[in-house]
Amino acid sequence: MAVLLLGAVLLVAQPQLVPSRPAALGAEPSQQELLRKVETLQDDIREGTATNGSAQQLPQTIIIGVRKGGTRALLEMLSLHPDVAAAENEVHFFDWEEHYSHGLGWYLSQMPFSSPHQLTVEKTPAYFTSSKVPERVHSMNPSIRLLLILRDPSERVLSDYTQVFYNHLQKHKPYPSIEEFLVRDGRLNVEYKALNRSLYHVHMQNWLRFFPLRHIHIVDGDRLIRDPFPEIQKVERFLKLSPQINASNFYFNKTKGFYCLRDSGRDRCLHESKGRAHPQVDPKLLSKLHEYFHEPNRKFFELVGRTFDWH
């Protein structure tokens, strides 16, 4: 908690959201001013304490992405652990200026109530691909543990398109075919945002400027879909949680075609929007997509010191 409070003080003390250079010596706050800020934040935390002793805490772990990588599934599975308290919604504190300008007090208010022994977890997939987020997270807590779930980049692109397509469909709005996004002037459209989100090495380099690799656990999203229990065991160990999640907490739903959760005799599956069928793509175009990601994938493997079973 001391680290979190110090991070909060450093953030509040800055005249700008992300300073371009250190403040002048004469503008630095005194030790007494810093202590007053800590006491103020402590008062805010006490105000957010429930009668049963639980309180809202800044997250000790953040699921930073990637979009359409399986972040919701990861959060739901992790929530099976009794020592995890997860924020229900994507907070978008570090990537949305309107939210970030409210300060850490607002961020704290978005967190669930939790017991002192519980780990508070927040999930916002857009954090991974936002260039300004790593420094902001580091300013809050340089010791925070980060979870990153990734899938085959080509499959992630198709999932990205599918989500937006169905969002338009539900609103009875037309939406171009995926070919119209992927191809421009007969060549692969490298300006397509969904492609850029799958250039994992570019975004990972930005995070490694502020956090050592040992603070970032990469979950294999493809394996999580096929066999979730081993992947969740790795997450438990990374977060230093006692092994509470069991293989019996997962069962394969043949109707939906993916694993669902069983918690205290209660079964639940992810929302119907998850696991939707991808659009049919011309095999030649799909081959171009795989070829495009070959070199970026190799760079990512070198960066993190491990490989993944991607095309």
Side-chain angles (χ1 to χ4, degrees):
M1 180 60 75
V3 174
L4 297 180
L5 290 172
L6 180 58
V9 168
L10 291 175
L11 184 62
V12 172
Q14 299 300 326
Q16 298 175 340
L17 294 180
V18 181
S20 59
R21 56 183 180 274
L25 287 175
E28 290 182 355
S30 66
Q31 186 175 3
Q32 288 182 337
E33 290 173 330
L34 290 174
L35 287 174
R36 281 198 296 271
K37 291 181 182 295
V38 169
E39 290 171 355
T40 300
L41 186 56
Q42 286 176 329
D43 290 339
D44 290 342
I45 292 174
R46 280 193 289 271
E47 288 177 5
T49 303
T51 55
N52 62 0
S54 64
Q56 290 169 297
Q57 304 179 66
L58 291 173
Q60 297 95 340
T61 297
I62 299 177
I63 300 175
I64 59 174
V66 61
R67 170 171 158 156
K68 305 312 297 176
T71 56
R72 172 52 61 181
L74 176 60
L75 185 68
E76 292 291 336
M77 293 174 185
L78 192 55
S79 296
L80 292 168
H81 201 290
D83 292 341
V84 169
E88 292 185 8
N89 302 314
E90 295 177 5
V91 182
H92 285 281
F93 175 66
F94 296 102
D95 62 324
W96 287 3
E97 296 301 327
E98 181 181 356
H99 288 175
Y100 194 68
S101 65
H102 293 322
L104 281 177
W106 181 89
Y107 188 42
L108 179 66
S109 71
Q110 306 304 305
M111 295 301 115
F113 280 85
S114 59
S115 301
H117 69 278
Q118 285 185 305
L119 195 71
T120 298
V121 180
E122 189 245 309
K123 172 191 84 80
T124 301
Y127 287 164
F128 180 58
T129 55
S130 177
S131 60
K132 59 197 170 188
V133 169
E135 183 176 8
R136 292 178 172 184
V137 174
H138 185 270
S139 295
M140 179 189 74
N141 181 6
S143 301
I144 198 166
R145 291 180 176 268
L146 305 169
L147 293 174
L148 172 63
I149 179 167
L150 299 176
R151 294 174 61 192
D152 182 309
S154 300
E155 292 297 314
R156 199 218 63 80
V157 169
L158 300 182
S159 290
D160 202 318
Y161 168 84
T162 302
Q163 174 176 284
V164 181
F165 171 79
Y166 274 99
N167 288 343
H168 280 71
L169 192 65
Q170 290 171 351
K171 298 175 183 176
H172 305 288
K173 293 182 178 180
Y175 198 65
S177 69
I178 190 169
E179 285 81 6
E180 293 181 62
F181 285 104
L182 285 175
V183 180
R184 177 176 294 174
D185 299 326
R187 304 178 66 179
L188 202 63
N189 178 19
V190 297
E191 300 300 320
Y192 181 31
K193 287 184 178 180
L195 285 183
N196 293 326
R197 293 189 188 104
S198 284
L199 296 176
Y200 299 148
H201 74 289
V202 173
H203 309 298
M204 192 67 176
Q205 284 174 330
N206 193 30
W207 282 91
L208 291 177
R209 288 174 55 218
F210 297 93
F211 294 96
L213 187 58
R214 67 179 182 274
H215 282 198
I216 307 173
H217 177 70
I218 303 172
V219 179
D220 189 326
D222 297 304
R223 290 187 177 181
L224 188 77
I225 294 171
R226 295 193 303 265
D227 189 12
F229 181 51
E231 285 299 311
I232 289 298
Q233 283 183 304
K234 295 174 187 175
V235 174
E236 281 183 317
R237 289 194 291 269
F238 172 73
L239 298 178
K240 298 181 179 179
L241 293 168
S242 60
Q244 297 283 339
I245 303 175
N246 303 303
S248 59
N249 290 123
F250 306 94
Y251 71 96
F252 189 78
N253 187 307
K254 293 182 179 180
T255 303
K256 292 183 175 292
F258 52 78
Y259 278 88
C260 294
L261 310 180
R262 180 171 288 132
D263 185 17
S264 302
R266 184 171 60 91
D267 296 351
R268 55 191 172 94
C269 292
L270 294 177
H271 190 267
E272 61 181 11
S273 63
K274 307 300 180 182
R276 284 171 171 157
H278 291 167
Q280 292 293 323
V281 181
D282 183 275
K284 292 182 180 179
L285 179 56
L286 201 56
S287 180
K288 284 185 179 181
L289 201 57
H290 296 159
E291 183 180 345
Y292 173 75
F293 283 119
H294 179 76
E295 183 61 17
N297 288 349
R298 186 192 64 78
K299 291 180 179 179
F300 179 75
F301 297 160
E302 287 186 358
L303 196 61
V304 300
R306 59 184 283 200
T307 60
F308 294 80
D309 187 20
W310 297 336
H311 287 98

